[in-house]
Amino acid sequence: MSFEVPENRNYLESHEWVEVTDGTAKIGITDFAQDELGDVVFVELPNEGDELTQGDEFGVVESIKAVSDLYSPVSGTVTATNDDLENTPELVNEDPFGDGWMLEVDVDDESEFDDLLSADEYRDQIE
Amino acid sequence: MPLRKPPLRDRHDERGATFTEFGGWDMPVEFDSIKEEHQSVRDSVGIFDVSHMGEIEVSGPDAEQLMQQLTTNDVTQLSPGDSQYAMITDEQGHIIDDTVLYRLPEDDESDYLFIPNAGHDEQMHDRWKRFRNEWDLDAEIRNATDDYAMYAVQGPDAPEAVDEVTDESVIDLSKFEATYATVAGVRCWVARTGYTGEDGFELICPWDEAETVWDAFDCQPCGLGSRDTLRTEMGFLLSGQDFDHENDPRNPYEAKVGFTVKLDTEFVGRDALERAKEEGVEETFVGFRLIDRGVPRHGYDITNTDDAIIGTVTSGTMSPTLNEPIGLGYIPVEYADPGTVIRVMVRGQSKKAKIESTPFLKDKQ
């Protein structure tokens, strides 16, 4: 089975993706992660204004069969969360890199990106 | 110890199933999506490979007596081709296993067939032999678990789906009635039983013919994941979770399966259960629905509204049918009335929940 791994993003070994546009990082979980979890039924996200630290837990995603912690790929301040996931958590399964995004973060330090995996490196990990 | 494999393990793998260890077996947990599989069974029909369930055959002049004395229900009520749900209890009346036992037709080599839970077959085989010897009864006991595959075809369209593939008509079988029928040339034991809350059948066929029988059905393959959500919606017990003889012994009255206990019969645990019935239970098995957002899971603490721990979640899930988080567990009887507000500790956060009568799906049996 081959999973989508968009080139224009970076990844964590724990299967979160991050896409940065003008200093704002959009974060979600990968196609591989949603497939492993199965039907996502609940996503717990931080509040706007919360401070995140790279590598720390920022929330939880639950499928029918498993619970999984979410880890932040970057440090910064949460500026938005995907409210649609409250009522339609299945968006994480249907469109993990699009409508299933989880939060936006105002990034403190872009040099942290050096710690993240490229698309190629992440692909190597899951294949 | 290596995991035991159902006969179609590789077929399921090729079909894209994911697997889980259950009772020492490597079983398919999900073929497509737990939600989709669950919905197929509630709306139309799905087929489960439940070959991990045990099969023990009991025969001989004293087979009936042995079955009667080792299970809680009244075996003498069964005509050939009937089955019943029963508990297997120890001297203290604690549930060791739950089972469906079949009385086989009179021309059969065996008199009874019973189905212990996955991984319990050797223990039950030994138990039956030990008591047969102790009571000096004349009965043959055979662990046939590795001789048979077992499938459950469940859902409102299951009767037609099964009837279509059997040479003999099985559609008029009553609930808990069973017969031999031929599927694609293979003789199968076909019973109107199942564990999903839906109408349906369970088929037991020779291990070597597993593929032929599986291929006779053209319906959604379902894994143990949806089997778990379906039975949880019904409030049915899961071995190892909702009763766990070693870690949390429970009697049938606590587990709300007192209807399987016939105190006018003689069986191991009877005296203890008579006392338990007279004295009443302090704790009881309940269903609850989470009001706050979150998903209850096996092992989470249940507390009262003063944050004192009063019990443990034995099973929990997001109900695919209700789209609500539901759970099961044992709590003191004073908290057990439907509508009572309790709390469940979900990963360190106290979540509000409400006791609800089971089955959660009120229109099911």
Side-chain angles (χ1 to χ4, degrees), chain B residues 234-279:
Chain B
M234 294 305 295
F236 292 161
L237 302 170
L238 180 67
S239 164
Q241 283 188 194
D242 303 303
F243 64 86
D244 180 344
H245 187 248
E246 275 177 38
N247 300 312
D248 186 20
R250 296 290 177 181
N251 72 42
Y253 298 116
E254 291 173 301
K256 293 264 185 70
V257 286
F259 65 91
T260 65
V261 178
K262 300 294 152 63
L263 290 173
D264 54 352
T265 70
E266 281 302 323
F267 61 89
V268 173
R270 196 209 78 91
D271 294 349
L273 288 177
E274 186 173 38
R275 282 196 302 277
K277 192 178 187 188
E278 277 168 15
E279 290 165 10

mmCIF file of all heavy atoms in Angstrom, chain B residues 234-279:
data_model
loop_
_atom_site.group_PDB
_atom_site.id
_atom_site.type_symbol
_atom_site.label_atom_id
_atom_site.label_comp_id
_atom_site.label_asym_id
_atom_site.label_seq_id
_atom_site.Cartn_x
_atom_site.Cartn_y
_atom_site.Cartn_z
ATOM 1 N N MET B 234 -24.783 -3.881 22.464
ATOM 2 C CA MET B 234 -25.798 -4.767 23.038
ATOM 3 C C MET B 234 -25.575 -5.016 24.526
ATOM 4 O O MET B 234 -26.417 -5.619 25.189
ATOM 5 C CB MET B 234 -25.786 -6.119 22.306
ATOM 6 C CG MET B 234 -26.206 -6.035 20.856
ATOM 7 S SD MET B 234 -27.817 -5.269 20.654
ATOM 8 C CE MET B 234 -28.856 -6.469 21.477
ATOM 9 N N GLY B 235 -24.426 -4.601 25.049
ATOM 10 C CA GLY B 235 -24.113 -4.871 26.456
ATOM 11 C C GLY B 235 -23.713 -6.316 26.696
ATOM 12 O O GLY B 235 -23.767 -6.793 27.834
ATOM 13 N N PHE B 236 -23.292 -7.021 25.644
ATOM 14 C CA PHE B 236 -22.874 -8.424 25.791
ATOM 15 C C PHE B 236 -21.474 -8.493 26.390
ATOM 16 O O PHE B 236 -20.616 -7.674 26.076
ATOM 17 C CB PHE B 236 -22.850 -9.128 24.423
ATOM 18 C CG PHE B 236 -24.200 -9.327 23.780
ATOM 19 C CD1 PHE B 236 -24.291 -9.571 22.419
ATOM 20 C CD2 PHE B 236 -25.371 -9.286 24.513
ATOM 21 C CE1 PHE B 236 -25.520 -9.772 21.796
ATOM 22 C CE2 PHE B 236 -26.610 -9.485 23.907
ATOM 23 C CZ PHE B 236 -26.680 -9.731 22.541
ATOM 24 N N LEU B 237 -21.247 -9.529 27.181
ATOM 25 C CA LEU B 237 -19.959 -9.706 27.855
ATOM 26 C C LEU B 237 -18.856 -10.116 26.885
ATOM 27 O O LEU B 237 -19.083 -10.933 25.993
ATOM 28 C CB LEU B 237 -20.077 -10.831 28.897
ATOM 29 C CG LEU B 237 -21.126 -10.689 29.993
ATOM 30 C CD1 LEU B 237 -21.243 -12.006 30.764
ATOM 31 C CD2 LEU B 237 -20.761 -9.551 30.929
ATOM 32 N N LEU B 238 -17.670 -9.574 27.106
ATOM 33 C CA LEU B 238 -16.489 -10.067 26.391
ATOM 34 C C LEU B 238 -15.547 -10.723 27.388
ATOM 35 O O LEU B 238 -15.137 -10.104 28.378
ATOM 36 C CB LEU B 238 -15.769 -8.928 25.662
ATOM 37 C CG LEU B 238 -14.523 -9.358 24.873
ATOM 38 C CD1 LEU B 238 -14.896 -10.259 23.696
ATOM 39 C CD2 LEU B 238 -13.733 -8.163 24.378
ATOM 40 N N SER B 239 -15.210 -11.976 27.107
ATOM 41 C CA SER B 239 -14.273 -12.729 27.952
ATOM 42 C C SER B 239 -12.945 -11.990 28.061
ATOM 43 O O SER B 239 -12.412 -11.499 27.069
ATOM 44 C CB SER B 239 -14.056 -14.115 27.324
ATOM 45 O OG SER B 239 -12.910 -14.732 27.864
ATOM 46 N N GLY B 240 -12.418 -11.918 29.283
ATOM 47 C CA GLY B 240 -11.130 -11.246 29.489
ATOM 48 C C GLY B 240 -11.280 -9.771 29.781
ATOM 49 O O GLY B 240 -10.359 -9.134 30.280
ATOM 50 N N GLN B 241 -12.432 -9.215 29.461
ATOM 51 C CA GLN B 241 -12.684 -7.807 29.770
ATOM 52 C C GLN B 241 -13.859 -7.659 30.745
ATOM 53 O O GLN B 241 -13.714 -7.104 31.814
ATOM 54 C CB GLN B 241 -13.006 -7.016 28.491
ATOM 55 C CG GLN B 241 -11.761 -6.719 27.687
ATOM 56 C CD GLN B 241 -12.013 -5.767 26.526
ATOM 57 O OE1 GLN B 241 -11.172 -5.653 25.657
ATOM 58 N NE2 GLN B 241 -13.158 -5.082 26.496
ATOM 59 N N ASP B 242 -15.025 -8.140 30.324
ATOM 60 C CA ASP B 242 -16.229 -7.958 31.135
ATOM 61 C C ASP B 242 -16.379 -9.067 32.179
ATOM 62 O O ASP B 242 -17.147 -8.931 33.112
ATOM 63 C CB ASP B 242 -17.456 -7.867 30.239
ATOM 64 C CG ASP B 242 -17.297 -6.743 29.238
ATOM 65 O OD1 ASP B 242 -17.091 -5.604 29.677
ATOM 66 O OD2 ASP B 242 -17.315 -7.011 28.024
ATOM 67 N N PHE B 243 -15.684 -10.152 31.978
ATOM 68 C CA PHE B 243 -15.416 -11.082 33.076
ATOM 69 C C PHE B 243 -13.985 -11.551 32.897
ATOM 70 O O PHE B 243 -13.512 -11.758 31.778
ATOM 71 C CB PHE B 243 -16.419 -12.242 33.150
ATOM 72 C CG PHE B 243 -16.409 -13.159 31.966
ATOM 73 C CD1 PHE B 243 -15.524 -14.222 31.898
ATOM 74 C CD2 PHE B 243 -17.303 -12.972 30.925
ATOM 75 C CE1 PHE B 243 -15.520 -15.075 30.808
ATOM 76 C CE2 PHE B 243 -17.309 -13.820 29.821
ATOM 77 C CZ PHE B 243 -16.414 -14.865 29.759
ATOM 78 N N ASP B 244 -13.284 -11.615 33.995
ATOM 79 C CA ASP B 244 -11.865 -11.967 33.971
ATOM 80 C C ASP B 244 -11.622 -12.781 35.236
ATOM 81 O O ASP B 244 -11.457 -12.220 36.321
ATOM 82 C CB ASP B 244 -11.037 -10.673 33.950
ATOM 83 C CG ASP B 244 -9.542 -10.955 33.923
ATOM 84 O OD1 ASP B 244 -9.137 -12.094 34.228
ATOM 85 O OD2 ASP B 244 -8.783 -10.019 33.609
ATOM 86 N N HIS B 245 -11.668 -14.079 35.069
ATOM 87 C CA HIS B 245 -11.674 -14.975 36.227
ATOM 88 C C HIS B 245 -10.477 -14.755 37.141
ATOM 89 O O HIS B 245 -10.596 -14.821 38.357
ATOM 90 C CB HIS B 245 -11.720 -16.438 35.747
ATOM 91 C CG HIS B 245 -11.899 -17.423 36.855
ATOM 92 N ND1 HIS B 245 -10.925 -18.302 37.245
ATOM 93 C CD2 HIS B 245 -12.954 -17.646 37.683
ATOM 94 C CE1 HIS B 245 -11.366 -19.042 38.252
ATOM 95 N NE2 HIS B 245 -12.593 -18.666 38.532
ATOM 96 N N GLU B 246 -9.332 -14.446 36.553
ATOM 97 C CA GLU B 246 -8.123 -14.292 37.369
ATOM 98 C C GLU B 246 -8.067 -12.956 38.080
ATOM 99 O O GLU B 246 -7.725 -12.869 39.252
ATOM 100 C CB GLU B 246 -6.881 -14.430 36.477
ATOM 101 C CG GLU B 246 -6.458 -15.864 36.279
ATOM 102 C CD GLU B 246 -5.274 -15.971 35.339
ATOM 103 O OE1 GLU B 246 -4.377 -15.107 35.400
ATOM 104 O OE2 GLU B 246 -5.270 -16.924 34.542
ATOM 105 N N ASN B 247 -8.361 -11.892 37.361
ATOM 106 C CA ASN B 247 -8.092 -10.551 37.891
ATOM 107 C C ASN B 247 -9.295 -9.858 38.519
ATOM 108 O O ASN B 247 -9.131 -8.934 39.309
ATOM 109 C CB ASN B 247 -7.524 -9.663 36.785
ATOM 110 C CG ASN B 247 -6.239 -10.240 36.239
ATOM 111 O OD1 ASN B 247 -5.354 -10.614 36.999
ATOM 112 N ND2 ASN B 247 -6.143 -10.332 34.925
ATOM 113 N N ASP B 248 -10.507 -10.261 38.131
ATOM 114 C CA ASP B 248 -11.688 -9.588 38.660
ATOM 115 C C ASP B 248 -12.866 -10.563 38.634
ATOM 116 O O ASP B 248 -13.784 -10.416 37.828
ATOM 117 C CB ASP B 248 -11.984 -8.345 37.801
ATOM 118 C CG ASP B 248 -13.119 -7.520 38.382
ATOM 119 O OD1 ASP B 248 -13.410 -7.657 39.587
ATOM 120 O OD2 ASP B 248 -13.724 -6.733 37.623
ATOM 121 N N PRO B 249 -12.811 -11.598 39.519
ATOM 122 C CA PRO B 249 -13.853 -12.634 39.460
ATOM 123 C C PRO B 249 -15.254 -12.079 39.716
ATOM 124 O O PRO B 249 -15.441 -11.272 40.628
ATOM 125 C CB PRO B 249 -13.435 -13.625 40.553
ATOM 126 C CG PRO B 249 -12.432 -12.923 41.395
ATOM 127 C CD PRO B 249 -11.809 -11.864 40.560
ATOM 128 N N ARG B 250 -16.204 -12.493 38.905
ATOM 129 C CA ARG B 250 -17.592 -12.015 38.992
ATOM 130 C C ARG B 250 -18.538 -13.196 38.884
ATOM 131 O O ARG B 250 -18.279 -14.143 38.127
ATOM 132 C CB ARG B 250 -17.885 -11.055 37.826
ATOM 133 C CG ARG B 250 -17.060 -9.788 37.851
ATOM 134 C CD ARG B 250 -17.492 -8.890 38.987
ATOM 135 N NE ARG B 250 -16.668 -7.690 39.079
ATOM 136 C CZ ARG B 250 -16.843 -6.766 40.017
ATOM 137 N NH1 ARG B 250 -17.790 -6.904 40.938
ATOM 138 N NH2 ARG B 250 -16.071 -5.702 40.046
ATOM 139 N N ASN B 251 -19.640 -13.113 39.599
ATOM 140 C CA ASN B 251 -20.633 -14.173 39.430
ATOM 141 C C ASN B 251 -21.681 -13.733 38.403
ATOM 142 O O ASN B 251 -21.755 -12.553 38.044
ATOM 143 C CB ASN B 251 -21.226 -14.593 40.788
ATOM 144 C CG ASN B 251 -22.164 -13.558 41.373
ATOM 145 O OD1 ASN B 251 -22.976 -12.972 40.652
ATOM 146 N ND2 ASN B 251 -22.057 -13.330 42.684
ATOM 147 N N PRO B 252 -22.501 -14.678 37.921
ATOM 148 C CA PRO B 252 -23.443 -14.348 36.844
ATOM 149 C C PRO B 252 -24.480 -13.277 37.237
ATOM 150 O O PRO B 252 -24.977 -12.559 36.370
ATOM 151 C CB PRO B 252 -24.133 -15.685 36.552
ATOM 152 C CG PRO B 252 -23.157 -16.723 37.002
ATOM 153 C CD PRO B 252 -22.470 -16.133 38.190
ATOM 154 N N TYR B 253 -24.778 -13.183 38.546
ATOM 155 C CA TYR B 253 -25.752 -12.157 38.957
ATOM 156 C C TYR B 253 -25.126 -10.772 38.847
ATOM 157 O O TYR B 253 -25.768 -9.825 38.401
ATOM 158 C CB TYR B 253 -26.261 -12.437 40.373
ATOM 159 C CG TYR B 253 -26.977 -13.757 40.458
ATOM 160 C CD1 TYR B 253 -26.489 -14.791 41.244
ATOM 161 C CD2 TYR B 253 -28.142 -13.978 39.725
ATOM 162 C CE1 TYR B 253 -27.132 -16.018 41.307
ATOM 163 C CE2 TYR B 253 -28.798 -15.209 39.769
ATOM 164 C CZ TYR B 253 -28.288 -16.218 40.562
ATOM 165 O OH TYR B 253 -28.936 -17.429 40.591
ATOM 166 N N GLU B 254 -23.853 -10.662 39.276
ATOM 167 C CA GLU B 254 -23.168 -9.376 39.102
ATOM 168 C C GLU B 254 -23.076 -9.019 37.622
ATOM 169 O O GLU B 254 -23.208 -7.862 37.237
ATOM 170 C CB GLU B 254 -21.739 -9.467 39.681
ATOM 171 C CG GLU B 254 -21.673 -9.580 41.183
ATOM 172 C CD GLU B 254 -20.237 -9.825 41.640
ATOM 173 O OE1 GLU B 254 -19.630 -10.827 41.220
ATOM 174 O OE2 GLU B 254 -19.730 -9.010 42.412
ATOM 175 N N ALA B 255 -22.824 -10.038 36.787
ATOM 176 C CA ALA B 255 -22.609 -9.803 35.354
ATOM 177 C C ALA B 255 -23.915 -9.685 34.566
ATOM 178 O O ALA B 255 -23.889 -9.604 33.338
ATOM 179 C CB ALA B 255 -21.747 -10.928 34.783
ATOM 180 N N LYS B 256 -25.048 -9.698 35.281
ATOM 181 C CA LYS B 256 -26.372 -9.552 34.658
ATOM 182 C C LYS B 256 -26.702 -10.681 33.681
ATOM 183 O O LYS B 256 -27.409 -10.476 32.694
ATOM 184 C CB LYS B 256 -26.485 -8.210 33.919
ATOM 185 C CG LYS B 256 -26.471 -6.982 34.831
ATOM 186 C CD LYS B 256 -27.900 -6.536 35.123
ATOM 187 C CE LYS B 256 -27.942 -5.255 35.926
ATOM 188 N NZ LYS B 256 -27.521 -4.098 35.186
ATOM 189 N N VAL B 257 -26.146 -11.863 33.947
ATOM 190 C CA VAL B 257 -26.506 -13.025 33.140
ATOM 191 C C VAL B 257 -27.103 -14.112 34.038
ATOM 192 O O VAL B 257 -26.955 -15.310 33.789
ATOM 193 C CB VAL B 257 -25.315 -13.568 32.307
ATOM 194 C CG1 VAL B 257 -25.017 -12.653 31.140
ATOM 195 C CG2 VAL B 257 -24.073 -13.780 33.175
ATOM 196 N N GLY B 258 -27.803 -13.657 35.099
ATOM 197 C CA GLY B 258 -28.462 -14.578 36.019
ATOM 198 C C GLY B 258 -29.496 -15.450 35.322
ATOM 199 O O GLY B 258 -29.820 -16.540 35.800
ATOM 200 N N PHE B 259 -29.986 -14.977 34.164
ATOM 201 C CA PHE B 259 -30.983 -15.772 33.423
ATOM 202 C C PHE B 259 -30.406 -17.098 32.923
ATOM 203 O O PHE B 259 -31.153 -18.005 32.568
ATOM 204 C CB PHE B 259 -31.552 -14.963 32.248
ATOM 205 C CG PHE B 259 -30.537 -14.625 31.180
ATOM 206 C CD1 PHE B 259 -30.344 -15.464 30.095
ATOM 207 C CD2 PHE B 259 -29.782 -13.457 31.253
ATOM 208 C CE1 PHE B 259 -29.414 -15.166 29.112
ATOM 209 C CE2 PHE B 259 -28.846 -13.144 30.270
ATOM 210 C CZ PHE B 259 -28.655 -14.003 29.199
ATOM 211 N N THR B 260 -29.087 -17.230 32.904
ATOM 212 C CA THR B 260 -28.475 -18.487 32.457
ATOM 213 C C THR B 260 -28.298 -19.472 33.612
ATOM 214 O O THR B 260 -27.834 -20.586 33.392
ATOM 215 C CB THR B 260 -27.076 -18.252 31.838
ATOM 216 O OG1 THR B 260 -26.190 -17.770 32.868
ATOM 217 C CG2 THR B 260 -27.120 -17.258 30.694
ATOM 218 N N VAL B 261 -28.637 -19.044 34.838
ATOM 219 C CA VAL B 261 -28.396 -19.883 36.019
ATOM 220 C C VAL B 261 -29.696 -20.578 36.425
ATOM 221 O O VAL B 261 -30.671 -19.924 36.773
ATOM 222 C CB VAL B 261 -27.868 -19.038 37.200
ATOM 223 C CG1 VAL B 261 -27.676 -19.915 38.437
ATOM 224 C CG2 VAL B 261 -26.571 -18.349 36.820
ATOM 225 N N LYS B 262 -29.691 -21.890 36.372
ATOM 226 C CA LYS B 262 -30.864 -22.660 36.769
ATOM 227 C C LYS B 262 -30.522 -23.371 38.070
ATOM 228 O O LYS B 262 -29.858 -24.417 38.070
ATOM 229 C CB LYS B 262 -31.262 -23.649 35.659
ATOM 230 C CG LYS B 262 -31.603 -22.962 34.328
ATOM 231 C CD LYS B 262 -32.855 -22.081 34.392
ATOM 232 C CE LYS B 262 -32.859 -20.922 33.406
ATOM 233 N NZ LYS B 262 -32.846 -21.286 32.000
ATOM 234 N N LEU B 263 -30.997 -22.767 39.189
ATOM 235 C CA LEU B 263 -30.615 -23.281 40.506
ATOM 236 C C LEU B 263 -31.277 -24.617 40.840
ATOM 237 O O LEU B 263 -30.884 -25.280 41.800
ATOM 238 C CB LEU B 263 -30.944 -22.243 41.580
ATOM 239 C CG LEU B 263 -30.073 -20.979 41.566
ATOM 240 C CD1 LEU B 263 -30.600 -19.950 42.552
ATOM 241 C CD2 LEU B 263 -28.605 -21.291 41.851
ATOM 242 N N ASP B 264 -32.278 -25.003 40.033
ATOM 243 C CA ASP B 264 -32.894 -26.314 40.277
ATOM 244 C C ASP B 264 -32.113 -27.435 39.580
ATOM 245 O O ASP B 264 -32.572 -28.571 39.523
ATOM 246 C CB ASP B 264 -34.363 -26.317 39.843
ATOM 247 C CG ASP B 264 -34.543 -25.865 38.414
ATOM 248 O OD1 ASP B 264 -33.552 -25.406 37.805
ATOM 249 O OD2 ASP B 264 -35.674 -25.981 37.890
ATOM 250 N N THR B 265 -30.955 -27.116 39.037
ATOM 251 C CA THR B 265 -30.065 -28.155 38.497
ATOM 252 C C THR B 265 -28.811 -28.214 39.362
ATOM 253 O O THR B 265 -28.501 -27.270 40.091
ATOM 254 C CB THR B 265 -29.660 -27.867 37.036
ATOM 255 O OG1 THR B 265 -28.778 -26.728 37.001
ATOM 256 C CG2 THR B 265 -30.875 -27.591 36.162
ATOM 257 N N GLU B 266 -28.092 -29.323 39.247
ATOM 258 C CA GLU B 266 -26.846 -29.489 40.015
ATOM 259 C C GLU B 266 -25.669 -29.116 39.138
ATOM 260 O O GLU B 266 -25.507 -29.667 38.046
ATOM 261 C CB GLU B 266 -26.696 -30.956 40.451
ATOM 262 C CG GLU B 266 -27.545 -31.328 41.651
ATOM 263 C CD GLU B 266 -27.251 -30.482 42.881
ATOM 264 O OE1 GLU B 266 -26.057 -30.144 43.104
ATOM 265 O OE2 GLU B 266 -28.209 -30.144 43.604
ATOM 266 N N PHE B 267 -24.867 -28.158 39.571
ATOM 267 C CA PHE B 267 -23.672 -27.825 38.793
ATOM 268 C C PHE B 267 -22.631 -27.205 39.726
ATOM 269 O O PHE B 267 -22.954 -26.738 40.823
ATOM 270 C CB PHE B 267 -24.020 -26.863 37.644
ATOM 271 C CG PHE B 267 -24.577 -25.544 38.093
ATOM 272 C CD1 PHE B 267 -23.738 -24.471 38.370
ATOM 273 C CD2 PHE B 267 -25.954 -25.357 38.248
ATOM 274 C CE1 PHE B 267 -24.242 -23.250 38.792
ATOM 275 C CE2 PHE B 267 -26.460 -24.135 38.664
ATOM 276 C CZ PHE B 267 -25.610 -23.078 38.947
ATOM 277 N N VAL B 268 -21.389 -27.208 39.287
ATOM 278 C CA VAL B 268 -20.298 -26.639 40.072
ATOM 279 C C VAL B 268 -20.563 -25.137 40.261
ATOM 280 O O VAL B 268 -20.730 -24.412 39.286
ATOM 281 C CB VAL B 268 -18.941 -26.854 39.361
ATOM 282 C CG1 VAL B 268 -17.825 -26.117 40.103
ATOM 283 C CG2 VAL B 268 -18.631 -28.336 39.242
ATOM 284 N N GLY B 269 -20.626 -24.721 41.500
ATOM 285 C CA GLY B 269 -20.896 -23.310 41.800
ATOM 286 C C GLY B 269 -22.335 -23.037 42.204
ATOM 287 O O GLY B 269 -22.675 -21.929 42.614
ATOM 288 N N ARG B 270 -23.195 -24.059 42.104
ATOM 289 C CA ARG B 270 -24.618 -23.859 42.370
ATOM 290 C C ARG B 270 -24.887 -23.329 43.779
ATOM 291 O O ARG B 270 -25.642 -22.365 43.955
ATOM 292 C CB ARG B 270 -25.395 -25.166 42.169
ATOM 293 C CG ARG B 270 -26.901 -24.982 42.040
ATOM 294 C CD ARG B 270 -27.675 -26.189 42.538
ATOM 295 N NE ARG B 270 -27.729 -26.193 43.996
ATOM 296 C CZ ARG B 270 -28.703 -25.631 44.715
ATOM 297 N NH1 ARG B 270 -29.725 -25.068 44.115
ATOM 298 N NH2 ARG B 270 -28.677 -25.651 46.037
ATOM 299 N N ASP B 271 -24.252 -23.947 44.781
ATOM 300 C CA ASP B 271 -24.550 -23.553 46.156
ATOM 301 C C ASP B 271 -24.121 -22.109 46.410
ATOM 302 O O ASP B 271 -24.830 -21.335 47.054
ATOM 303 C CB ASP B 271 -23.861 -24.499 47.145
ATOM 304 C CG ASP B 271 -24.433 -25.913 47.043
ATOM 305 O OD1 ASP B 271 -25.483 -26.073 46.376
ATOM 306 O OD2 ASP B 271 -23.830 -26.845 47.617
ATOM 307 N N ALA B 272 -22.963 -21.770 45.883
ATOM 308 C CA ALA B 272 -22.484 -20.395 46.044
ATOM 309 C C ALA B 272 -23.429 -19.416 45.358
ATOM 310 O O ALA B 272 -23.718 -18.326 45.870
ATOM 311 C CB ALA B 272 -21.078 -20.261 45.456
ATOM 312 N N LEU B 273 -23.952 -19.809 44.206
ATOM 313 C CA LEU B 273 -24.843 -18.907 43.472
ATOM 314 C C LEU B 273 -26.214 -18.813 44.138
ATOM 315 O O LEU B 273 -26.858 -17.761 44.091
ATOM 316 C CB LEU B 273 -24.966 -19.357 42.015
ATOM 317 C CG LEU B 273 -23.695 -19.084 41.195
ATOM 318 C CD1 LEU B 273 -23.846 -19.610 39.768
ATOM 319 C CD2 LEU B 273 -23.373 -17.594 41.165
ATOM 320 N N GLU B 274 -26.623 -19.879 44.788
ATOM 321 C CA GLU B 274 -27.885 -19.800 45.529
ATOM 322 C C GLU B 274 -27.755 -18.767 46.655
ATOM 323 O O GLU B 274 -28.634 -17.928 46.856
ATOM 324 C CB GLU B 274 -28.245 -21.174 46.090
ATOM 325 C CG GLU B 274 -29.613 -21.184 46.748
ATOM 326 C CD GLU B 274 -30.043 -22.582 47.166
ATOM 327 O OE1 GLU B 274 -29.168 -23.361 47.631
ATOM 328 O OE2 GLU B 274 -31.238 -22.895 47.029
ATOM 329 N N ARG B 275 -26.610 -18.831 47.354
ATOM 330 C CA ARG B 275 -26.361 -17.842 48.420
ATOM 331 C C ARG B 275 -26.292 -16.425 47.848
ATOM 332 O O ARG B 275 -26.871 -15.492 48.382
ATOM 333 C CB ARG B 275 -25.037 -18.164 49.139
ATOM 334 C CG ARG B 275 -25.145 -19.302 50.140
ATOM 335 C CD ARG B 275 -23.934 -19.308 51.089
ATOM 336 N NE ARG B 275 -22.667 -19.426 50.369
ATOM 337 C CZ ARG B 275 -22.150 -20.591 49.953
ATOM 338 N NH1 ARG B 275 -22.791 -21.729 50.184
ATOM 339 N NH2 ARG B 275 -20.990 -20.624 49.325
ATOM 340 N N ALA B 276 -25.580 -16.305 46.712
ATOM 341 C CA ALA B 276 -25.424 -14.980 46.098
ATOM 342 C C ALA B 276 -26.782 -14.407 45.708
ATOM 343 O O ALA B 276 -27.034 -13.209 45.856
ATOM 344 C CB ALA B 276 -24.515 -15.075 44.868
ATOM 345 N N LYS B 277 -27.648 -15.276 45.242
ATOM 346 C CA LYS B 277 -28.973 -14.801 44.828
ATOM 347 C C LYS B 277 -29.783 -14.349 46.049
ATOM 348 O O LYS B 277 -30.450 -13.315 46.012
ATOM 349 C CB LYS B 277 -29.721 -15.892 44.065
ATOM 350 C CG LYS B 277 -30.962 -15.349 43.382
ATOM 351 C CD LYS B 277 -31.698 -16.380 42.583
ATOM 352 C CE LYS B 277 -32.823 -15.687 41.806
ATOM 353 N NZ LYS B 277 -33.696 -16.647 41.148
ATOM 354 N N GLU B 278 -29.693 -15.139 47.119
ATOM 355 C CA GLU B 278 -30.430 -14.787 48.346
ATOM 356 C C GLU B 278 -29.916 -13.488 48.954
ATOM 357 O O GLU B 278 -30.690 -12.625 49.357
ATOM 358 C CB GLU B 278 -30.283 -15.907 49.379
ATOM 359 C CG GLU B 278 -31.251 -17.041 49.168
ATOM 360 C CD GLU B 278 -30.889 -18.270 50.013
ATOM 361 O OE1 GLU B 278 -30.080 -18.140 50.951
ATOM 362 O OE2 GLU B 278 -31.412 -19.353 49.696
ATOM 363 N N GLU B 279 -28.600 -13.373 48.992
ATOM 364 C CA GLU B 279 -27.991 -12.207 49.652
ATOM 365 C C GLU B 279 -28.027 -10.966 48.768
ATOM 366 O O GLU B 279 -27.944 -9.840 49.250
ATOM 367 C CB GLU B 279 -26.531 -12.531 50.028
ATOM 368 C CG GLU B 279 -26.437 -13.548 51.161
ATOM 369 C CD GLU B 279 -25.035 -14.152 51.289
ATOM 370 O OE1 GLU B 279 -24.105 -13.649 50.629
ATOM 371 O OE2 GLU B 279 -24.902 -15.135 52.053
#
